[in-house]
Amino acid sequence: MLAEKRAEHIAFLLVQAGTDVAFIEHEDTIYYARCSQGKKHLPSSSVVKLLQGLFEQFVDHSFFILRQRIYTTAHLTEMCRGMVKVVAKRVTAQIIPYDHQMPVLKQMIEMGAGADLLPVSRYLSAENQLSLAEIHQWISEQKPASEHAFLQNVTKLAQRVPRGQVLHDFDRDIAAVLVDKAGTLLGYGVNSNSRNKTLHAEVNLIQRFYRENGQGIPEDTILYSTHKPCKMCAGMIYHSSVNPHSIKVYYSIKEEGGLSRQTVLDHWNLNELVAEG
């Protein structure tokens, strides 16, 4: 009960009109992030901004911070649940701000301050900063004869990710592309999560697409990924789609870990493993 009252009071101190807030306490600091309410298909939220901001500013130390419980005034979307599941521990949502007149003797640090809701990560790899025109040399503008043939092209893009002997020190060789029904390339992303654990290929694709186009994933598009989207990526795909039930996701490698099982895309039968041959 005391923890709940403390969370309500901290929310009261932090929340602003028209925004949701998410926060986490660690040692002598409260880390928090705000996000505007009502922005449809935005691939971010107060929870997402908090998590991405912690990895941006604290890298390895974020592991210790994220052992604590996250609190948020927002309702949890599939995107938020997925990101917490993949890179954090636990979250309590829909905290109602209330002035309990409690002392809070801690410093407060905001993550992702300012109007820019989707800042470009300083850990975003060079492979993620190419133009679509440059990517056309690996991904054909016209849809190949089969999903398998298209995924072979996406695999070529993934092979641009540098690898080394100590694999956890390097980004994984995973890539994703977004195309329309005609096969025209709309966006792409490759994994760059060796420092910022949220920067999976699909997250990079979706957030860049929103930054450049000011909208969510269009209707009737197809997303090809070398690997099955995890809960975080599946949640962001679903949340950010203008019509999530019109999108189709194809992948060529089935991840066996629990973080890729029973995703929201699985629930609605929106993704499909494409076998070789």
Side-chain angles (χ1 to χ4, degrees):
M1 189 68 177
L2 181 60
E4 182 179 339
K5 285 186 175 180
R6 181 174 178 80
E8 291 173 347
H9 185 67
I10 293 173
F12 169 79
L13 297 176
L14 294 175
V15 77
Q16 295 179 349
T19 68
D20 286 310
V21 66
F23 58 90
I24 191 169
E25 291 188 74
H26 179 64
E27 297 179 346
D28 62 346
T29 303
I30 296 171
Y31 305 94
Y32 70 97
R34 299 189 185 99
C35 189
S36 298
Q37 297 171 338
K39 286 188 174 292
K40 291 185 177 180
H41 319 303
L42 174 71
S44 188
S45 67
S46 57
V47 171
V48 171
K49 285 182 70 178
L50 175 65
L51 292 170
Q52 292 194 310
L54 286 171
F55 280 110
E56 283 294 300
Q57 292 197 32
F58 302 104
V59 192
D60 294 334
H61 189 63
S62 61
F63 172 80
F64 300 101
I65 299 172
L66 291 172
R67 288 178 176 175
Q68 312 306 313
R69 180 176 293 275
I70 297 168
Y71 294 93
T72 180
T73 58
H75 168 76
L76 288 183
T77 64
E78 290 291 342
M79 173 180 65
C80 296
R81 288 192 188 94
M83 187 167 283
V84 170
K85 188 74 173 178
V86 172
V87 304
K89 292 293 184 182
R90 58 191 75 85
V91 61
T92 297
Q94 296 179 287
I95 296 294
I96 298 174
Y98 188 83
D99 185 4
H100 288 287
Q101 299 184 343
M102 301 172 68
V104 179
L105 303 177
K106 292 195 174 188
Q107 66 172 331
M108 298 185 179
I109 299 178
E110 185 172 5
M111 303 289 104
D116 186 1
L117 295 176
L118 291 172
V120 177
S121 168
R122 59 178 169 164
Y123 299 117
L124 195 66
S125 62
E127 293 77 25
N128 276 289
Q129 300 177 56
L130 302 174
S131 68
L132 291 186
E134 291 176 275
I135 299 301
H136 281 177
Q137 58 187 304
W138 292 280
I139 307 297
S140 172
E141 282 195 36
Q142 298 303 313
K143 182 179 177 182
S146 67
E147 283 75 27
H148 173 65
F150 212 121
L151 283 166
Q152 286 183 313
N153 285 341
V154 181
T155 299
K156 294 177 184 177
L157 178 58
Q159 290 169 348
R160 288 181 55 84
V161 178
R163 301 294 281 159
Q165 290 185 341
V166 185
L167 295 182
H168 67 266
D169 288 340
F170 292 84
D171 302 326
R172 294 186 67 189
D173 50 344
I174 299 173
V177 302
L178 183 70
V179 301
D180 64 16
K181 289 190 294 185
T184 303
L185 182 65
L186 302 177
Y188 84 98
V190 298
N191 184 285
S192 57
N193 79 331
S194 60
R195 304 298 298 279
N196 184 329
K197 300 304 180 185
T198 70
L199 299 182
H200 288 197
E202 298 93 329
V203 171
N204 290 336
L205 186 164
I206 295 166
Q207 292 192 329
R208 175 174 171 172
F209 183 86
Y210 191 94
R211 278 196 299 269
E212 294 181 347
N213 298 280
Q215 65 179 47
I217 299 172
E219 285 192 278
D220 299 318
T221 48
I222 303 170
L223 192 150
Y224 291 93
S225 180
T226 52
H227 291 59
K228 183 184 181 188
C230 68
K231 291 180 184 291
M232 171 175 68
C233 296
M236 187 171 286
I237 292 167
Y238 188 85
H239 175 81
S240 303
S241 295
V242 172
N243 178 2
H245 296 281
S246 74
I247 194 170
K248 190 66 179 180
V249 178
Y250 294 104
Y251 61 93
S252 54
I253 298 175
K254 183 178 180 180
E255 297 276 14
E256 297 298 335
L259 295 178
S260 291
R261 296 176 190 162
Q262 298 180 331
T263 71
V264 65
L265 299 180
D266 292 331
H267 178 77
W268 294 107
N269 195 31
L270 297 173
N271 56 183
E272 180 180 331
L273 173 65
V274 176
E276 293 186 9

